[in-house]
Amino acid sequence: MTRVLPAAQFLLTLAVTFLGLLAITFVIGRVVPIDPVVAVVGDRASIETYNATKEAMGLDDPLVVQFARYVGQVAQGELGTSVSTGRPVAEDLARVFPATFEMATLGIIIGVALGVPMGVFAAARQGRMADQIIRVIGLAGYAIPAFWLGLIGLVIFYAHLRWVGGPGRIDFFLDGMVPTHTGLLLVDSLIDGNLEAFRSALSHIILPATILGFFALAYIARMTRSFMLEQLGQEFITTARVKGVPERLILWRHAFRPIRVQLITVIGLSYAGLLEGSVMIETVFSWPGIGNYLTTALLNADMNAVLGATLVIGAVFVGINKGSDALYRLLDPRARA
Amino acid sequence: MSLLSVENLRVTFPTDHGPADVVRGLSFTLGRERLGIVGESGSGKSMTGRAIMGLVPAPGKVTADQLMFNGKDLRGLSEDERRDLRGTAMSMVLQDPKFSLNPVIRIGEQIEEAMAVHGTLGRRERRERALEALTAVRIKDPERVARLFPHEVSGGMGQRVMIAMMVVLEPALMIADEPTSALDVSVRGQVLDILADLVSRRGMGLILISHDLNMVARWCDRILVMYRGEIVEEIASGALMDAQHPYTRGLVASLPTIDETRDRLPVLDRGKL
Ligand SMILES: Nc1ncnc2c1ncn2[C@@H]1O[C@H](COP(=O)(O)OP(=O)(O)OP(=O)(O)O)[C@@H](O)[C@H]1O
Ligand SMILES: [Mg+2]
């Protein structure tokens, strides 16, 4: 019984947040100086044709009615047609989003797998050599621009060392050879049993994902370190030492356990940041993801595509935020009470 | 042979103006008895307890001419050997259960942990002993309490949990650093009764640290009075009226008694010390 009410509340705030998001994209669609009617009839049409089309498109209706219609369309997955690709925006997004998702997910896995232990380690040796090195790495994550790191990475690991594949998701001769199941090349190639394609996809994704992972790592390690230091100063750490608990367990059980929930929020934010912030990396690596799609759409004043991509990015952001929020409540005994 | 014998114990911290002794040449012995340490804030009571436990924080240094515990010279032990003693042979009850229990670990698991890290008992046995320890601190439904998180119990209950956790391996020495000062006045006596009772029934030595001379006199056999890192007086609880040192006399004079009426309690005159 006590579980039902918060769940209902949660779904309600989720719905309201999405409605807010839709309102924002709707308003953006109205205020940009691109006339949707002209986009359809062309700039040489007579004023009669223009007005008739405008009415047919429902643009004379009150804004509330237009908004309700817009919400209805989005709910059915109708995002209009893209002027630059000539295909439905929803279809385009279904193709480009998995590419971004795959790269960002690999990035966040790398960021968490390295960043969390680094933060814990830095806190355990506060002020010493290892801590300083980790702090410099953290700073670098702020100071170095993503595109620069991407270019340097390509020059060294692709052009010189030939350790990784170049731009794109897969070697061109394998392009289109893997049937789409999930849209994630690493997964689809495995489903298909095509190891050559898997290896090629991996060699292409590893560099951009590692670079994204580096930015996630810098942030995650820094936050982990400061959360850990806060816990290590608590009285219950002394209690654990009084009981004779070894330092390794003091770190991972007594100090780390209480911060897991805070870390979920940090990781969620950083993951959302990778998903929406991969524009630079996608450009440098010609990665056919949502960042690239959005850039192209913006340059072509392709309004439907811009709004659709914005909506997806916003929805992902909201989804991850709310998801980590829910996990927080589920995992923290203090928040559950 | 005494349980603990300390001679010329010093705890030193580096400061901007050179090293500062916060404990300055303490000497005392402890048998299987209840010893009180009183003194004002900053007089070095907690540091003395931590020095015995081997838990003086980082830049602090501990030296002593003698630091014998149960026939072992603590000074010569490695960090791991000291850790082996903690929880099993000596333990310490801290001040405020609100902060001294891990907020995200169930109470039962925290009590079992002391046994788990010293690794002699099986899982089921650990569980049984944890429940026994909770019963020993007069918790009526130990099974329910063991499943709770610390924020779900009251301060008095939390401190009883803390005591259960620290006595579960039956250490020979128990240090209690202001174990009741964070608690509601109404439960202080009860918690101290439980602690004192366990200590005497299991034949442990107790060091009870407090600001409160009254409390220490009531629950301890002998009292050390500390002032600025030194013991200024050692006195039997019954003989407080015979105190020699002006600081102790000041403290005794400040004690309110039930059948007197005074407008103001006298204030310690530091100029005379
Ligand atoms: N980490 C530290 N660095 C330097 N000095 C310290 C440190 N910790 C404690 N001290 C000093 O040591 C002295 C003794 O502290 P201690 O905690 O033992 O006092 P106490 O008698 O327990 O006081 P209280 O009644 O307030 O608990 C204090 O003057 C304190 O300032
Ligand atoms: Mg103290």
Side-chain angles (χ1 to χ4, degrees):
Chain A
M1 186 205 79
T2 45
R3 284 270 158 118
V4 178
L5 201 61
Q9 228 171 7
F10 180 73
L11 287 178
L12 191 69
T13 53
L14 198 63
V16 170
T17 317
F18 271 114
L19 221 54
L21 182 61
L22 284 170
I24 291 170
T25 50
F26 177 74
V27 169
I28 295 174
R30 303 296 123 165
V31 296
V32 287
I34 298 173
D35 190 332
V37 183
V38 173
V40 172
V41 299
D43 50 7
R44 304 235 184 112
S46 67
I47 189 77
E48 289 79 21
T49 322
Y50 179 90
N51 284 337
T53 312
K54 190 173 181 200
E55 202 189 332
M57 288 172 77
L59 292 172
D60 286 334
D61 298 339
L63 276 181
V64 184
V65 175
Q66 290 189 42
F67 180 61
R69 195 184 303 125
Y70 174 63
V71 172
Q73 283 169 346
V74 171
Q76 288 170 35
E78 263 181 58
L79 299 169
T81 305
S82 157
V83 216
S84 35
T85 66
R87 276 179 299 215
V89 170
E91 219 173 83
D92 283 346
L93 288 172
R95 187 169 36 81
V96 298
F97 182 70
T100 300
F101 180 75
E102 187 171 34
M103 184 167 75
T105 303
L106 196 58
I108 197 72
I109 290 172
I110 293 170
V112 171
L114 296 177
V116 170
M118 276 168 75
V120 171
F121 191 64
R125 343 201 100 227
Q126 188 196 5
R128 288 194 264 169
M129 190 68 160
D131 184 25
Q132 304 298 355
I133 292 172
I134 289 168
R135 277 170 66 179
V136 169
I137 293 174
L139 268 181
Y142 277 94
I144 301 178
F147 73 89
W148 186 81
L149 209 54
L151 287 174
I152 295 292
L154 275 177
V155 167
I156 297 177
F157 296 106
Y158 170 60
H160 273 281
L161 296 171
R162 299 245 151 228
W163 286 358
V164 301
R169 291 181 82 184
I170 196 162
D171 290 338
F172 71 94
F173 57 89
L174 289 163
D175 203 6
M177 304 290 281
V178 181
T180 304
H181 303 285
T182 60
L184 312 173
L185 273 182
L186 290 176
V187 178
D188 288 350
S189 58
L190 281 184
I191 292 177
D192 206 37
N194 188 343
L195 281 185
E196 193 191 359
F198 178 79
R199 227 173 286 127
S200 170
L202 188 63
S203 83
H204 280 261
I205 201 174
I206 196 71
L207 185 57
T210 305
I211 290 171
L212 283 185
F214 170 72
F215 289 103
L217 170 162
Y219 175 58
I220 291 171
R222 205 176 59 98
M223 296 306 282
T224 305
R225 176 183 182 275
S226 74
F227 290 157
M228 283 295 286
L229 284 180
E230 189 191 332
Q231 296 302 318
L232 287 172
Q234 299 285 322
E235 194 71 347
F236 60 77
I237 297 295
T238 306
T239 305
R241 295 205 170 106
V242 167
K243 285 195 285 187
V245 176
E247 286 302 307
R248 183 178 45 83
L249 287 179
I250 299 257
L251 276 184
W252 287 103
R253 186 188 287 156
H254 286 274
F256 187 71
R257 254 196 358 200
I259 71 165
R260 280 185 311 187
V261 284
Q262 289 166 285
L263 276 184
I264 287 172
T265 311
V266 165
I267 291 167
L269 270 176
S270 148
Y271 187 30
L274 293 194
L275 278 167
E276 55 173 333
S278 56
V279 177
M280 281 296 177
I281 288 293
E282 288 191 4
T283 307
V284 172
F285 286 87
S286 308
W287 197 260
I290 199 162
N292 242 337
Y293 183 71
L294 186 59
T295 317
T296 314
L298 275 170
L299 293 177
N300 291 324
D302 185 351
M303 217 44 221
N304 284 338
V306 169
L307 291 184
T310 308
L311 202 60
V312 166
I313 289 173
V316 163
F317 195 83
V318 170
I320 289 179
N321 257 315
K322 293 285 171 188
S324 64
D325 222 42
L327 261 180
Y328 192 119
R329 270 169 228 230
L330 222 59
L331 286 181
D332 190 345
R334 288 162 295 187
R336 250 186 276 149
Chain B
M1 184 189 63
S2 59
L3 180 62
L4 178 71
S5 101
V6 177
E7 227 178 276
N8 198 20
L9 175 72
R10 260 169 215 286
V11 178
T12 312
F13 279 95
T15 67
D16 296 342
H17 339 279
D21 287 355
V22 300
V23 174
R24 304 193 286 181
L26 232 60
S27 302
F28 65 93
T29 58
L30 175 79
R32 303 199 175 256
E33 60 179 327
R34 298 181 296 200
L35 174 72
I37 299 184
V38 286
E40 61 186 6
S41 197
S43 56
K45 306 182 296 293
S46 295
M47 280 304 156
T48 304
R50 285 178 183 235
I52 295 165
M53 293 296 296
L55 288 176
V56 168
K61 289 263 174 304
V62 179
T63 58
D65 291 346
Q66 191 178 49
L67 199 54
M68 294 289 280
F69 172 75
N70 246 349
K72 265 198 202 100
D73 189 349
L74 295 180
R75 295 172 311 167
L77 298 186
S78 70
E79 185 43 47
D80 272 354
E81 289 167 324
R82 288 300 286 269
R83 189 170 58 70
D84 280 343
L85 289 179
R86 290 198 287 270
T88 55
M90 51 169 74
S91 68
M92 182 156 87
V93 170
L94 303 177
Q95 188 171 354
D96 191 343
K98 215 187 277 142
F99 302 111
S100 53
L101 294 172
N102 191 310
V104 301
I105 303 181
R106 288 178 201 278
I107 283 171
E109 196 189 328
Q110 295 198 48
I111 298 176
E112 284 175 45
E113 186 186 33
M115 299 176 268
V117 297
H118 295 291
T120 44
L121 300 168
R123 179 163 260 184
R124 170 168 307 151
E125 208 175 339
R126 289 204 298 265
R127 213 184 115 70
E128 268 165 27
R129 296 237 345 223
L131 294 179
E132 274 167 30
L134 285 172
T135 312
V137 294
R138 301 181 205 162
I139 285 174
K140 285 186 201 69
D141 39 4
E143 271 159 48
R144 184 182 67 86
V145 173
R147 281 194 303 271
L148 297 178
F149 288 99
H151 71 270
E152 296 173 307
V153 302
S154 67
M157 174 86 88
Q159 202 59 319
R160 284 191 274 164
V161 166
M162 181 81 185
I163 293 171
M165 186 159 81
M166 291 308 172
V167 299
V168 72
L169 285 175
E170 312 204 327
L173 169 66
M174 167 74 91
I175 300 171
D177 191 353
E178 312 210 21
T180 59
S181 56
L183 303 184
D184 215 73
V185 181
S186 60
V187 299
R188 287 184 182 176
Q190 191 192 16
V191 167
L192 278 174
D193 276 340
I194 291 172
L195 180 63
D197 182 50
L198 275 175
V199 160
S200 54
R201 264 199 293 153
R202 302 193 178 184
M204 298 154 71
L206 171 72
I207 296 179
L208 178 62
I209 295 173
S210 174
H211 290 103
D212 185 346
L213 183 59
N214 223 349
M215 188 184 98
V216 166
R218 187 159 151 216
W219 269 279
C220 296
D221 314 310
R222 204 152 51 91
I223 302 171
L224 302 180
V225 181
M226 280 187 76
Y227 184 70
R228 294 183 168 194
E230 289 174 274
I231 295 176
V232 294
E233 183 128 31
E234 180 174 345
I235 195 165
S237 294
L240 275 181
M241 288 307 159
D242 306 331
Q244 298 298 311
H245 194 273
Y247 178 72
T248 321
R249 293 176 74 93
L251 283 183
V252 173
S254 313
L255 286 179
T257 55
I258 287 177
D259 45 33
E260 72 177 334
T261 47
R262 277 193 283 197
D263 289 340
R264 298 187 56 167
L265 292 172
V267 173
L268 208 58
D269 183 357
R270 281 162 194 283
K272 287 195 205 138
L273 293 177

